[in-house]
Amino acid sequence: MFYNFKEIEEKWQKAWDSGNAFGARHDAARKKYYLLEMFPYPSGKIHMGHVRNYTIGDVAARFKTLQGYNVLHPMGFDAFGQPAENAAIKNKTKPDAWTHKCIKEMEAELKKMGFSYDWKREVATCDSSYYKWNQWIFLKMYERGLAYKKASSVNWCPSCETTLANEEVIDGGCWRCHTKVKLKDLEQWYLKITDYKERLLEDLKQLDNWPEKVLSMQSNWIGRSQGVEIYFRLKETNEAIPVFTTRADTIFGATYIVLAPEHPLVAKIIKGKPQEKEVLEFVERVSKESKVVRTSSDVKKEGRFSGSYAINPVNNEAVPIWIADYVLMEYGTGAIMAVPTHDQRDFLFAREHNLPMRIVIQPNDQRLTTNDQLSEAYDGDGVQVNSAQFEGMPNQEAKIKIAEWMQETGIGKIQTHWRLRDWLISRQRYWGTPIPIIYCKKCGVVPVPYEDLPVRLPVDAPFTGEGGSPLGKVKEFVEAECPKCKSHARRETDTMATFFDSSWYFLRFCSPDFENGPFDKAEAEYWMRVDQYIGGVEHAILHLLYSRFFTKFFKDLGLISFDEPFIRLLTQGMVLKDGEVMSKSKGNIVDPDSMIKKYGADTLRLFMLFAAPPETELEWDDRGLEGAFKFLNRVWRIHESLKEEADSQMLKILHKSIKKVTDDIQDFKFNTAIASLMELTNAIYQFGADKGVFSKLVLLLSPIVPHFSEELWQILGNKESILKARWPEHDPALLVEQTVTIVLQVNGKVRSKIDVPADISEDKLKELILQDDKLKTWIQDKPIKKFIAIPKKLVNLVV
RNA sequence: GCCGAAGUGGUGGAAUGGCAUACACGUCGGUCUCAAAAACCGAUGAGUUCACGCUCGUAAGGGUUCGACUCCCUUCUUCGGCACCA
């Protein structure tokens, strides 16, 4: 009754596997296509998100193969990370054994979906043959001053007992376990990604085929802001206090300045002042508050007067210096000029503390003369007032002119500030790449020599779950010989953040077994860049930014010739159930494996592609899955009743479908591609198909439902696999219509339709139309003012 | 606050200036059957009409156009990102 998906899928998976059907070989004569999906963490089980991501990629890979491209479609595992350590603590296994077991299970699940991976290129980042090159890259960065150690206050997750990168703190909590992040003073390794900030921002312009959303997220994250650093002077000592502003046009309205509580000048300026004790208490209290509390916008801004004054360099006015929690030491200079009339935060603060205000921008559409006319700051554009030589100038123009004037007179300096910070990569964990550094009492920080790589993780480490990294407790690991002076030394016990591993794996896939470097230059030049990258939008900032950074670094090393790793990017939408993300805690998970057992992998693939366009969220629907299964059975039955010859009507529909499906798959519009395959199937039910027509349908379906199509292809008498076939092309001659249906409108409303020869002249058409009965009742005897004809489509009469 | 995306039948969605709701799910009806399932065929935006039809209808309002889901302006809602960023 139903086609035997179980037998068919097992049969073809075996055949593809034993025939190494998807092995990719460097062939300079052929045009390459590198298709990559973000590799998974090997949890052991795939979820619907994986199924969706990898199905989208698989269709594209198979489609490109049929079109004759030399396709590289690899898969591997992002295998370092915390769950392996947790499992080790819980189950008394070793992270290495646990991870490799999970990889095996996951491979099996991926194979059950029929994905066309070149398994010979598989990499796992936890293998020393891979992480050796992490260490190599780290040392290259160290040599160039791009990897450095710094003591600072860092984000610390008390639950994971490790540091976190800025990028890993989400809403003040740990990205993994959501525990509230604390600040801790530690010596940590950083990568100087900020050296690449200009290129990382500028090169976003090259990425025409990335989603707008991702580009804007990256650009926000890098956070370039152009302005002026203005030097106010301390009234008493004439010492400079730099402040940063993007609104130089408002400088004449700066009526006080504010320092961050952590500002180094604070202690100096309050010394001996009556306010000293009060300010010190305030600073102490604020510094204890976590950043989360301080930066939540609903908290009222607090501040204290320092007792000192500063000189505004543009008018030599003495303005009070305040200390307030709404100014952050990390951004700009840690000090601001406050313009209460034209900045809302300053406005609220000034009202609260009775500070002076001065209007310096006059709105174009209203008269603003007295401060009490303001109920909030005016931050729009206008004309300069109370602004000395800039009086009357439009503020946008003044912004530039004032900045230039300041630059010339030395009052200030045109500057650019960035939000992007260096990347903290030290993690106090065991299951990661050891940082290849040795600390010697005599020689200091000594990099491990290249010939000593890899620094291997010790197999035996105590996993107690208590305090600190297990690596620090392995004596044989910690104790090392200094590479320089050979004296007794100590090895770095921190490991690298796992985002390091995934920042270059796409290059490793080009030559996964290469032993003389992270990748073979010639192979990378052939296969890279990745033509199409596919993954979740949750990696829009972290992973993609780091990968771009590494690629630029490799270019600077002379290892590759390109700046950007990924030509096209597709971020697939999430899979929802009942409007919510599938998750264990919500208990709404649908297990792919059980769906494969019930309907087969082909049905699951078909449903995933049909239910929504790839970029949007997909609502899981059991009945939709059944519908997909019904469709496949409907197609299956066609082969039992093929005609000798297909009629011309059928051929026309077929070639229309070929065009539509080809165009849609090209554009990743799989849902509409499938819709037209359904229409084609419906047409076959109406008109009947011969072997030729049906073969084309099977071929068009094959990237989507590969096992199903292989089997029918064989049933149709083909000796070779459908993978060796070529994608069909439509015959343009068959798409030319002899007659066309013209829609007839009167005053823009559809009133009638008429069938006419496709090559009819406009005059002849007009003549025919005016004889149309339905139209006559609408026109009656009103004069026709206008006659608009869109060839082969529509005519609109205006009466 | 700033940046980005989106809002279409009972449901998932299609149409990017030219027949709104393709394709599917669901529902209803029919054929087959002792019966059911499966399969096949048909109907299915709302209002109104015996009916041919007509009117309304793509978050709301306005505009451009012979013609707007599509372009422009205003507003609302939802989702995502950044954010006391000076």
Side-chain angles (χ1 to χ4, degrees):
Chain A
M1 192 139 58
F2 302 128
Y3 86 97
N4 190 342
F5 57 84
K6 189 169 185 291
E7 197 178 286
I8 290 169
E9 290 181 1
E10 279 172 9
K11 169 182 164 185
W12 289 104
Q13 282 162 17
K14 235 170 126 184
W16 294 332
D17 214 27
S18 63
N20 187 27
F22 310 109
R25 292 241 308 271
H26 182 152
D27 180 353
R30 291 176 67 202
K31 204 159 178 222
K32 67 91 188 180
Y33 191 87
Y34 186 176
L35 193 133
L36 185 66
E37 300 123 40
M38 291 181 185
F39 66 166
Y41 177 81
S43 60
K45 276 196 109 33
I46 59 171
H47 54 66
M48 283 300 175
H50 292 127
V51 169
R52 189 172 190 201
N53 188 173
Y54 302 152
T55 299
I56 291 165
D58 198 51
V59 173
R62 288 173 178 272
F63 173 68
K64 287 288 172 186
T65 303
L66 289 174
Q67 282 194 324
Y69 286 87
N70 190 19
V71 171
L72 173 59
H73 188 207
M75 183 43 73
F77 295 94
D78 190 13
F80 272 137
Q82 206 147 336
E85 279 183 69
N86 295 343
I89 294 162
K90 215 170 136 195
N91 312 328
K92 306 259 177 271
T93 60
K94 292 190 168 46
D96 181 65
W98 184 84
T99 303
H100 280 101
K101 181 178 145 271
C102 285
I103 288 176
K104 278 269 161 309
E105 289 167 5
M106 206 127 163
E107 273 170 17
E109 295 226 313
L110 291 171
K111 283 181 180 172
K112 271 195 211 164
M113 283 301 300
F115 297 137
S116 61
Y117 298 128
D118 180 358
W119 285 106
K120 293 231 159 39
R121 288 176 188 260
E122 180 181 351
V123 300
T125 56
C126 64
D127 292 340
S128 63
S129 58
Y130 186 90
Y131 71 67
K132 172 182 179 176
W133 302 110
N134 281 343
Q135 295 170 340
W136 185 93
I137 294 162
F138 178 89
L139 291 176
K140 288 285 176 198
M141 287 185 169
Y142 181 78
E143 279 171 15
R144 280 158 182 75
L146 290 170
Y148 66 97
K149 203 172 189 192
K150 180 175 82 173
S152 68
S153 181
V154 297
N155 304 306
W156 174 263
C157 172
S159 161
C160 304
E161 291 193 42
T162 188
T163 51
L164 298 171
N166 283 340
E167 290 87 337
E168 291 170 334
V169 180
I170 292 156
D171 293 332
C174 171
W175 68 290
R176 202 182 296 111
C177 65
H178 310 295
T179 308
K180 212 164 119 188
V181 170
K182 285 186 177 163
L183 291 178
K184 196 170 176 176
D185 283 314
L186 279 176
E187 276 237 326
Q188 302 278 285
W189 285 96
Y190 287 83
L191 297 186
K192 219 169 182 180
I193 191 172
T194 51
D195 267 16
Y196 286 80
K197 61 190 178 224
E198 283 96 353
R199 284 162 73 187
L200 286 168
L201 183 68
E202 184 61 25
D203 290 351
L204 288 173
K205 289 183 195 143
Q206 292 179 27
L207 304 174
D208 310 332
N209 290 303
W210 279 36
E212 192 76 20
K213 184 184 179 176
V214 175
L215 293 175
S216 94
M217 280 163 77
Q218 291 233 341
S219 154
N220 281 345
W221 188 263
I222 297 167
R224 188 182 123 107
S225 127
Q226 189 104 46
V228 187
E229 199 169 287
I230 302 173
Y231 307 110
F232 280 67
R233 297 202 167 266
L234 200 54
K235 192 180 173 192
E236 290 156 40
T237 64
N238 210 31
E239 190 175 344
I241 309 172
V243 303
F244 178 72
T245 183
T246 54
R247 290 293 305 272
D249 52 322
T250 63
I251 178 69
F252 291 92
T255 47
Y256 63 101
I257 72 170
V258 189
L259 306 185
E262 301 87 350
H263 198 286
L265 269 178
V266 170
K268 200 173 195 174
I269 61 172
I270 58 170
K271 201 156 181 103
K273 297 275 175 356
Q275 294 88 342
E276 181 171 4
K277 196 166 165 239
E278 194 196 340
V279 172
L280 277 178
E281 274 170 15
F282 170 69
V283 167
E284 178 142 350
R285 179 160 56 80
V286 170
S287 67
K288 274 191 198 143
E289 275 170 11
S290 77
K291 215 181 145 193
V292 194
V293 175
R294 239 179 96 184
T295 56
S296 62
S297 49
D298 45 339
V299 171
K300 197 158 150 201
K301 294 142 184 43
E302 269 198 276
R304 299 286 184 275
F305 177 46
S306 70
S308 287
Y309 290 82
I311 304 297
N312 183 340
V314 300
N315 54 13
N316 292 320
E317 214 171 75
V319 296
I321 304 175
W322 281 68
I323 292 136
D325 60 358
Y326 78 98
V327 175
L328 304 174
M329 198 57 221
E330 307 89 88
Y331 189 79
T333 60
I336 61 156
M337 64 176 207
V339 185
T341 45
H342 304 296
D343 181 285
Q344 184 61 13
R345 289 157 302 172
D346 298 341
F347 180 82
L348 291 173
F349 193 81
R351 273 267 163 102
E352 178 79 21
H353 300 284
N354 261 320
L355 289 159
M357 301 186 185
R358 186 187 304 130
I359 293 163
V360 292
I361 309 286
Q362 189 65 239
N364 295 321
D365 55 356
Q366 104 193 67
R367 267 194 70 74
L368 203 58
T369 44
T370 57
N371 293 337
D372 39 308
Q373 277 179 273
L374 288 170
S375 58
E376 57 181 7
Y378 174 73
D379 57 8
D381 286 334
V383 167
Q384 300 288 135
V385 293
N386 299 320
S387 300
Q389 68 267 43
F390 301 98
E391 196 74 13
M393 196 181 276
N395 76 305
Q396 287 299 341
E397 190 189 331
K399 195 190 270 186
I400 298 162
K401 286 274 153 60
I402 291 176
E404 285 167 353
W405 168 66
M406 285 177 167
Q407 176 101 343
E408 279 162 26
T409 54
I411 289 172
K413 203 173 148 197
I414 294 171
Q415 274 208 338
T416 306
H417 278 268
W418 303 77
R419 213 195 71 96
L420 184 70
R421 297 288 106 122
D422 279 343
W423 175 15
L424 168 59
I425 59 156
S426 298
R427 296 291 181 276
Q428 291 69 50
R429 312 292 327 173
Y430 164 84
W431 195 230
T433 305
I435 294 173
I437 289 289
I438 289 168
Y439 301 105
C440 170
K441 283 214 175 74
K442 277 187 247 166
C443 313
V445 177
V446 183
V448 172
Y450 288 103
E451 58 270 24
D452 291 352
L453 297 184
V455 176
R456 281 175 206 278
L457 278 174
V459 180
D460 281 307
F463 291 99
T464 57
E466 285 152 24
S469 162
L471 263 189
K473 295 170 194 151
V474 182
K475 213 177 144 206
E476 312 83 78
F477 182 82
V478 178
E479 292 183 0
E481 185 182 76
C482 170
K484 272 192 191 159
C485 71
K486 308 294 172 200
S487 64
H488 193 74
R490 182 176 60 85
R491 198 180 285 284
E492 170 67 83
T493 56
D494 282 354
T495 54
M496 297 180 196
T498 55
F499 278 114
F500 196 109
D501 314 349
S502 54
S503 296
W504 65 282
Y505 76 108
F506 42 90
L507 282 157
R508 188 69 186 166
F509 278 139
C510 298
S511 49
D513 302 317
F514 192 60
E515 287 180 356
N516 302 319
F519 51 87
D520 184 326
K521 210 172 155 178
E523 292 294 322
E525 286 297 329
Y526 176 68
W527 290 113
M528 288 292 285
R529 293 129 61 202
V530 174
D531 293 273
Q532 177 70 57
Y533 197 31
I534 306 169
V537 75
E538 66 273 18
H539 294 112
I541 299 174
L542 309 177
H543 164 61
L544 292 170
L545 191 69
Y546 297 151
S547 298
R548 296 181 59 225
F549 162 44
F550 271 47
T551 301
K552 290 172 198 306
F553 173 64
F554 290 137
K555 190 189 179 191
D556 291 351
L557 282 184
L559 292 179
I560 49 177
S561 64
F562 45 88
D563 293 281
E564 287 289 334
F566 313 122
I567 297 173
R568 282 176 69 120
L569 174 70
L570 185 141
T571 50
Q572 100 270 3
M574 287 190 282
V575 182
L576 310 181
K577 175 90 191 290
D578 309 319
E580 288 186 305
V581 181
M582 285 190 187
S583 75
K584 261 187 210 157
S585 58
K586 292 202 184 89
N588 60 352
I589 289 186
V590 181
D591 173 32
D593 205 43
S594 67
M595 293 298 127
I596 295 173
K597 282 205 177 84
K598 203 166 168 194
Y599 297 104
D602 282 332
T603 293
L604 184 54
R605 293 168 61 116
L606 179 67
F607 167 71
M608 282 281 176
L609 297 166
F610 180 57
E615 304 84 0
T616 61
E617 290 174 336
L618 183 151
E619 176 69 32
W620 179 265
D621 179 10
D622 287 317
R623 285 195 286 233
L625 191 71
E626 241 168 278
F629 185 57
K630 262 163 67 177
F631 170 68
L632 288 183
N633 282 295
R634 200 167 141 84
V635 174
W636 183 266
R637 284 190 299 271
I638 295 173
H639 88 264
E640 291 156 359
S641 53
L642 290 176
K643 297 207 296 190
E644 276 302 308
E645 202 179 350
D647 54 39
S648 62
Q649 180 83 351
M650 188 66 243
L651 285 175
K652 266 188 183 177
I653 295 169
L654 171 70
H655 283 263
K656 241 180 170 163
S657 302
I658 292 174
K659 179 164 176 12
K660 172 84 175 142
V661 173
T662 307
D663 292 348
D664 281 356
I665 293 186
Q666 197 96 38
D667 296 343
F668 286 79
K669 284 150 87 179
F670 303 126
N671 55 333
T672 49
I674 291 166
S676 54
L677 288 165
M678 286 171 168
E679 282 177 274
L680 177 59
T681 303
N682 291 343
I684 290 176
Y685 268 73
Q686 194 183 339
F687 298 108
D690 65 353
K691 200 170 120 181
V693 169
F694 187 54
S695 293
K696 292 277 184 352
L697 171 61
V698 170
L699 202 46
L700 292 173
L701 275 166
S702 72
I704 298 163
V705 285
H707 317 85
F708 175 88
S709 306
E710 280 275 27
E711 185 69 17
L712 280 173
W713 192 249
Q714 196 177 59
I715 289 170
L716 284 165
N718 295 287
K719 296 277 176 288
E720 266 201 317
S721 160
I722 200 165
L723 301 171
K724 304 281 183 208
R726 280 290 159 264
W727 188 254
E729 284 185 28
H730 72 274
D731 179 355
L734 282 171
L735 299 190
V736 179
E737 299 285 349
Q738 302 298 314
T739 58
V740 288
T741 304
I742 304 281
V743 174
L744 304 180
Q745 294 184 335
V746 178
N747 292 337
K749 287 196 190 289
V750 179
R751 296 303 181 191
S752 183
K753 282 170 200 178
I754 188 171
D755 285 335
V756 296
D759 55 355
I760 192 168
S761 72
E762 200 168 298
D763 289 341
K764 182 84 185 145
L765 181 64
K766 194 169 177 179
E767 200 176 297
L768 276 173
I769 285 166
L770 294 176
Q771 285 163 20
D772 187 88
D773 287 338
K774 278 187 200 155
L775 229 53
K776 273 183 191 162
T777 57
W778 287 100
I779 304 169
Q780 290 175 346
D781 48 1
K782 292 171 216 150
I784 293 167
K785 285 192 207 153
K786 237 176 182 177
F787 178 88
I788 296 145
I790 308 298
K792 296 180 189 183
K793 263 191 183 158
L794 169 143
V795 167
N796 188 16
L797 299 175
V798 186
V799 297

PDB file of all heavy atoms in Angstrom, chain A residues 239-253:
ATOM      1  N   GLU A 239      45.225  70.857  34.488  1.00  0.00           N
ATOM      2  CA  GLU A 239      45.387  69.495  33.952  1.00  0.00           C
ATOM      3  C   GLU A 239      44.254  69.178  32.979  1.00  0.00           C
ATOM      4  O   GLU A 239      43.095  69.548  33.204  1.00  0.00           O
ATOM      5  CB  GLU A 239      45.371  68.493  35.113  1.00  0.00           C
ATOM      6  CG  GLU A 239      45.770  67.098  34.697  1.00  0.00           C
ATOM      7  CD  GLU A 239      45.863  66.162  35.912  1.00  0.00           C
ATOM      8  OE1 GLU A 239      45.915  66.662  37.055  1.00  0.00           O
ATOM      9  OE2 GLU A 239      45.881  64.960  35.706  1.00  0.00           O
ATOM     10  N   ALA A 240      44.592  68.484  31.883  1.00  0.00           N
ATOM     11  CA  ALA A 240      43.583  68.194  30.851  1.00  0.00           C
ATOM     12  C   ALA A 240      42.647  67.077  31.294  1.00  0.00           C
ATOM     13  O   ALA A 240      43.080  66.088  31.893  1.00  0.00           O
ATOM     14  CB  ALA A 240      44.265  67.816  29.554  1.00  0.00           C
ATOM     15  N   ILE A 241      41.359  67.258  31.018  1.00  0.00           N
ATOM     16  CA  ILE A 241      40.368  66.187  31.222  1.00  0.00           C
ATOM     17  C   ILE A 241      39.711  65.919  29.864  1.00  0.00           C
ATOM     18  O   ILE A 241      38.842  66.671  29.446  1.00  0.00           O
ATOM     19  CB  ILE A 241      39.275  66.594  32.236  1.00  0.00           C
ATOM     20  CG1 ILE A 241      39.907  67.118  33.533  1.00  0.00           C
ATOM     21  CG2 ILE A 241      38.352  65.416  32.507  1.00  0.00           C
ATOM     22  CD1 ILE A 241      38.884  67.711  34.489  1.00  0.00           C
ATOM     23  N   PRO A 242      40.139  64.885  29.155  1.00  0.00           N
ATOM     24  CA  PRO A 242      39.528  64.624  27.847  1.00  0.00           C
ATOM     25  C   PRO A 242      38.113  64.067  27.990  1.00  0.00           C
ATOM     26  O   PRO A 242      37.881  63.201  28.835  1.00  0.00           O
ATOM     27  CB  PRO A 242      40.453  63.581  27.213  1.00  0.00           C
ATOM     28  CG  PRO A 242      41.451  63.199  28.260  1.00  0.00           C
ATOM     29  CD  PRO A 242      41.133  63.894  29.525  1.00  0.00           C
ATOM     30  N   VAL A 243      37.203  64.604  27.198  1.00  0.00           N
ATOM     31  CA  VAL A 243      35.859  64.011  27.125  1.00  0.00           C
ATOM     32  C   VAL A 243      35.592  63.660  25.658  1.00  0.00           C
ATOM     33  O   VAL A 243      36.146  64.294  24.768  1.00  0.00           O
ATOM     34  CB  VAL A 243      34.755  64.978  27.632  1.00  0.00           C
ATOM     35  CG1 VAL A 243      35.037  65.428  29.047  1.00  0.00           C
ATOM     36  CG2 VAL A 243      34.594  66.182  26.708  1.00  0.00           C
ATOM     37  N   PHE A 244      34.771  62.634  25.431  1.00  0.00           N
ATOM     38  CA  PHE A 244      34.457  62.242  24.059  1.00  0.00           C
ATOM     39  C   PHE A 244      33.010  62.579  23.749  1.00  0.00           C
ATOM     40  O   PHE A 244      32.120  62.342  24.570  1.00  0.00           O
ATOM     41  CB  PHE A 244      34.693  60.747  23.864  1.00  0.00           C
ATOM     42  CG  PHE A 244      34.351  60.264  22.478  1.00  0.00           C
ATOM     43  CD1 PHE A 244      35.156  60.604  21.395  1.00  0.00           C
ATOM     44  CD2 PHE A 244      33.218  59.480  22.244  1.00  0.00           C
ATOM     45  CE1 PHE A 244      34.848  60.175  20.115  1.00  0.00           C
ATOM     46  CE2 PHE A 244      32.909  59.049  20.952  1.00  0.00           C
ATOM     47  CZ  PHE A 244      33.731  59.398  19.903  1.00  0.00           C
ATOM     48  N   THR A 245      32.789  63.151  22.565  1.00  0.00           N
ATOM     49  CA  THR A 245      31.407  63.442  22.160  1.00  0.00           C
ATOM     50  C   THR A 245      31.221  63.226  20.664  1.00  0.00           C
ATOM     51  O   THR A 245      32.152  63.406  19.891  1.00  0.00           O
ATOM     52  CB  THR A 245      31.008  64.890  22.511  1.00  0.00           C
ATOM     53  OG1 THR A 245      29.629  65.086  22.160  1.00  0.00           O
ATOM     54  CG2 THR A 245      31.843  65.912  21.759  1.00  0.00           C
ATOM     55  N   THR A 246      30.011  62.825  20.300  1.00  0.00           N
ATOM     56  CA  THR A 246      29.672  62.756  18.877  1.00  0.00           C
ATOM     57  C   THR A 246      28.889  64.012  18.481  1.00  0.00           C
ATOM     58  O   THR A 246      28.505  64.173  17.345  1.00  0.00           O
ATOM     59  CB  THR A 246      28.786  61.528  18.574  1.00  0.00           C
ATOM     60  OG1 THR A 246      27.649  61.566  19.433  1.00  0.00           O
ATOM     61  CG2 THR A 246      29.542  60.238  18.773  1.00  0.00           C
ATOM     62  N   ARG A 247      28.644  64.857  19.462  1.00  0.00           N
ATOM     63  CA  ARG A 247      27.841  66.060  19.206  1.00  0.00           C
ATOM     64  C   ARG A 247      28.656  67.318  19.507  1.00  0.00           C
ATOM     65  O   ARG A 247      28.302  68.128  20.374  1.00  0.00           O
ATOM     66  CB  ARG A 247      26.572  66.034  20.081  1.00  0.00           C
ATOM     67  CG  ARG A 247      25.533  65.004  19.697  1.00  0.00           C
ATOM     68  CD  ARG A 247      24.889  65.283  18.345  1.00  0.00           C
ATOM     69  NE  ARG A 247      24.297  66.609  18.217  1.00  0.00           N
ATOM     70  CZ  ARG A 247      23.047  66.910  18.556  1.00  0.00           C
ATOM     71  NH1 ARG A 247      22.239  66.000  19.075  1.00  0.00           N
ATOM     72  NH2 ARG A 247      22.594  68.133  18.391  1.00  0.00           N
ATOM     73  N   ALA A 248      29.734  67.517  18.742  1.00  0.00           N
ATOM     74  CA  ALA A 248      30.571  68.695  18.931  1.00  0.00           C
ATOM     75  C   ALA A 248      29.755  69.979  18.735  1.00  0.00           C
ATOM     76  O   ALA A 248      30.089  71.029  19.288  1.00  0.00           O
ATOM     77  CB  ALA A 248      31.745  68.661  17.968  1.00  0.00           C
ATOM     78  N   ASP A 249      28.674  69.886  17.975  1.00  0.00           N
ATOM     79  CA  ASP A 249      27.832  71.069  17.730  1.00  0.00           C
ATOM     80  C   ASP A 249      27.177  71.590  19.003  1.00  0.00           C
ATOM     81  O   ASP A 249      26.704  72.722  19.036  1.00  0.00           O
ATOM     82  CB  ASP A 249      26.765  70.748  16.663  1.00  0.00           C
ATOM     83  CG  ASP A 249      25.971  69.495  16.988  1.00  0.00           C
ATOM     84  OD1 ASP A 249      26.581  68.530  17.504  1.00  0.00           O
ATOM     85  OD2 ASP A 249      24.762  69.474  16.727  1.00  0.00           O
ATOM     86  N   THR A 250      27.148  70.765  20.057  1.00  0.00           N
ATOM     87  CA  THR A 250      26.487  71.221  21.287  1.00  0.00           C
ATOM     88  C   THR A 250      27.477  71.721  22.340  1.00  0.00           C
ATOM     89  O   THR A 250      27.076  71.997  23.468  1.00  0.00           O
ATOM     90  CB  THR A 250      25.625  70.089  21.908  1.00  0.00           C
ATOM     91  OG1 THR A 250      26.491  69.007  22.285  1.00  0.00           O
ATOM     92  CG2 THR A 250      24.583  69.583  20.941  1.00  0.00           C
ATOM     93  N   ILE A 251      28.737  71.844  21.976  1.00  0.00           N
ATOM     94  CA  ILE A 251      29.779  72.188  22.956  1.00  0.00           C
ATOM     95  C   ILE A 251      29.493  73.490  23.699  1.00  0.00           C
ATOM     96  O   ILE A 251      29.784  73.618  24.882  1.00  0.00           O
ATOM     97  CB  ILE A 251      31.181  72.239  22.275  1.00  0.00           C
ATOM     98  CG1 ILE A 251      32.284  72.649  23.262  1.00  0.00           C
ATOM     99  CG2 ILE A 251      31.188  73.178  21.084  1.00  0.00           C
ATOM    100  CD1 ILE A 251      32.591  71.647  24.302  1.00  0.00           C
ATOM    101  N   PHE A 252      28.866  74.463  23.044  1.00  0.00           N
ATOM    102  CA  PHE A 252      28.579  75.737  23.715  1.00  0.00           C
ATOM    103  C   PHE A 252      27.469  75.599  24.756  1.00  0.00           C
ATOM    104  O   PHE A 252      27.225  76.489  25.543  1.00  0.00           O
ATOM    105  CB  PHE A 252      28.231  76.829  22.688  1.00  0.00           C
ATOM    106  CG  PHE A 252      29.417  77.234  21.845  1.00  0.00           C
ATOM    107  CD1 PHE A 252      29.674  76.608  20.632  1.00  0.00           C
ATOM    108  CD2 PHE A 252      30.295  78.226  22.290  1.00  0.00           C
ATOM    109  CE1 PHE A 252      30.774  76.969  19.869  1.00  0.00           C
ATOM    110  CE2 PHE A 252      31.395  78.575  21.529  1.00  0.00           C
ATOM    111  CZ  PHE A 252      31.640  77.952  20.312  1.00  0.00           C
ATOM    112  N   GLY A 253      26.820  74.462  24.750  1.00  0.00           N
ATOM    113  CA  GLY A 253      25.762  74.220  25.733  1.00  0.00           C
ATOM    114  C   GLY A 253      26.222  73.291  26.850  1.00  0.00           C
ATOM    115  O   GLY A 253      25.424  72.842  27.674  1.00  0.00           O
TER     116      GLY A 253
END
